[in-house]
Amino acid sequence: MAGETVLVVGGAGYIGSHTCLDLANKGYTPVVFDNFSNGHREFVRWGPAEEGDIRDRARLDEVLAKHKPAAILHFAALIEVGESVKDPVAFYENNVIGTLTLLSAAQAAGINAFVFSSTCATYGLPQSVPLDETHRQVPINPYGRTKYIVEQALADYDQYRSLRSVVLRYFNAAGADFEGRIGEWHQPETHAIPLAIDAALGRRQGFKVFGSDYETRDGTCVRDYIHVLDLADAHVRAVEYLLKGGDSVALNLGTGTGTTVKELLGAIEDVSNRPFPVEYIGRREGDSHTLVANNDKARDVLGWVPQYDLSEIIRSAWDWHAKSNQH
């Protein structure tokens, strides 16, 4: 399938840009479609860029006609849970209406291979751990609900319109390109690893841990951290799977290994050799004490196996934030 053009919607963002890198390394031509509200023009390095919004049908039609992609990778979403509670309308307009507009444009262009960036937030509070794809989906915030609505729409598009899709439910994306060309850069930043690294670098006053009395091995929340390059690899495999005629499927992307917040902070101190202040405060509403993936299905369907462990995640993130990301 190498040599095909793939439209990467939201390709100037964190996971999208790393996927463009992986696509290019494997012989594809990634075309970035992004409105640059959260993405970075500096991250478009492996193919052409087309500026536009997924709610703009005319612009989508124009770009699809120009580049004639064989498949679409869709990363363009508002993602911050707290913001989704403050402004749910924006999340529904972008994540739901925007995606439906993109799907209509894809259908009109004859594209029937679609990879969707979803989230473990569609599961809601875990009933069992590790979570597999049969776990009930009861999202507890507008962000998770918008992703779940799109998943339901994709199931209908598959059944009634023959548009095949791979839904990829991420756990905790982390890390950076090992050559330091791109990395995690959100404004504002809310993710644990970059916040802790910034504390170690003296760019912020310490790190706050929400809750230390959970029923976990050290009282802090457990999360499944997956290297962004492993996520990128899964997306490219998903494209190849669809282009070879694969059926629609939903897959978890995680390592299957849980790390507590205390363990994470200890690992960052080990890599940085820079202790930093840590403050333990009360639990945060809506936080699950443990989120760990069962990734057996992704291994079976895509032949995907994560390559990088927590130390490599932190080392690559540390190198990016310490040397490359001065913003």
Side-chain angles (χ1 to χ4, degrees), residues 5 22 26 39 51 111 159 171 208 235 260-261 268 286 312:
T5 295
D22 197 58
K26 293 173 180 172
E51 187 165 359
I111 299 165
Q159 183 171 353
F171 281 64
K208 292 182 179 179
H235 285 80
T260 71
V261 177
I268 291 171
E312 291 168 303

Side-chain angles (χ1 to χ4, degrees), residues 15-239:
I15 301 171
S17 61
H18 285 83
T19 302
C20 287
L21 166 61
D22 197 58
L23 283 165
N25 284 341
K26 293 173 180 172
Y28 295 87
T29 300
V31 175
V32 170
F33 183 88
D34 206 298
N35 66 6
F36 298 103
S37 60
N38 293 309
H40 309 287
R41 296 179 193 278
E42 300 94 318
F43 283 8
V44 182
R45 304 180 59 169
W46 294 280
E50 298 284 357
E51 187 165 359
D53 192 285
I54 55 173
R55 293 164 290 186
D56 185 343
R57 174 62 189 274
R59 181 64 178 139
L60 286 167
D61 289 343
E62 180 183 1
V63 170
L64 291 170
K66 176 180 177 181
H67 293 283
K68 298 179 173 58
I72 294 175
L73 284 159
H74 177 30
F75 298 95
L78 300 178
I79 63 170
E80 296 303 336
V81 171
E83 287 301 313
S84 79
V85 174
K86 295 176 185 175
D87 188 7
V89 173
F91 278 69
Y92 279 91
E93 286 181 344
N94 186 88
N95 295 3
V96 177
I97 295 173
T99 302
L100 294 176
T101 304
L102 174 62
L103 286 168
S104 295
Q107 289 256 280
I111 299 165
N112 68 349
F114 191 90
V115 179
F116 177 58
S117 166
S118 193
T119 169
C120 65
T122 64
Y123 294 122
L125 299 175
Q127 304 299 300
S128 59
V129 177
L131 290 88
D132 66 20
E133 291 82 358
T134 66
H135 189 286
R136 70 176 194 174
Q137 290 181 280
V138 188
I140 61 173
N141 51 62
Y143 164 65
R145 278 191 285 274
T146 61
K147 292 288 192 175
Y148 180 50
I149 289 168
V150 172
E151 287 195 19
Q152 293 176 301
L154 287 170
D156 284 337
Y157 274 73
D158 174 52
Q159 183 171 353
Y160 303 111
R161 300 300 297 272
S162 300
L163 188 148
R164 291 172 298 110
S165 61
V166 176
V167 168
L168 297 174
R169 296 175 187 149
Y170 309 166
F171 281 64
N172 286 62
D177 164 42
F178 287 100
E179 294 184 30
R181 293 165 289 185
I182 51 177
E184 189 164 9
W185 176 9
H186 297 119
Q187 294 173 317
E189 186 56 73
T190 61
H191 293 171
I193 291 177
L195 289 176
I197 287 175
D198 276 350
L201 289 167
R203 295 176 181 169
R204 60 185 300 114
Q205 293 185 340
F207 183 90
K208 292 182 179 179
V209 177
F210 296 97
S212 58
D213 58 350
Y214 287 101
E215 293 181 7
T216 61
R217 54 184 172 268
D218 62 21
T220 61
C221 289
V222 176
R223 294 292 182 265
D224 187 338
Y225 295 95
I226 177 78
H227 200 288
V228 66
L229 291 177
D230 281 326
L231 288 179
D233 175 53
H235 285 80
V236 179
R237 288 172 181 266
V239 167

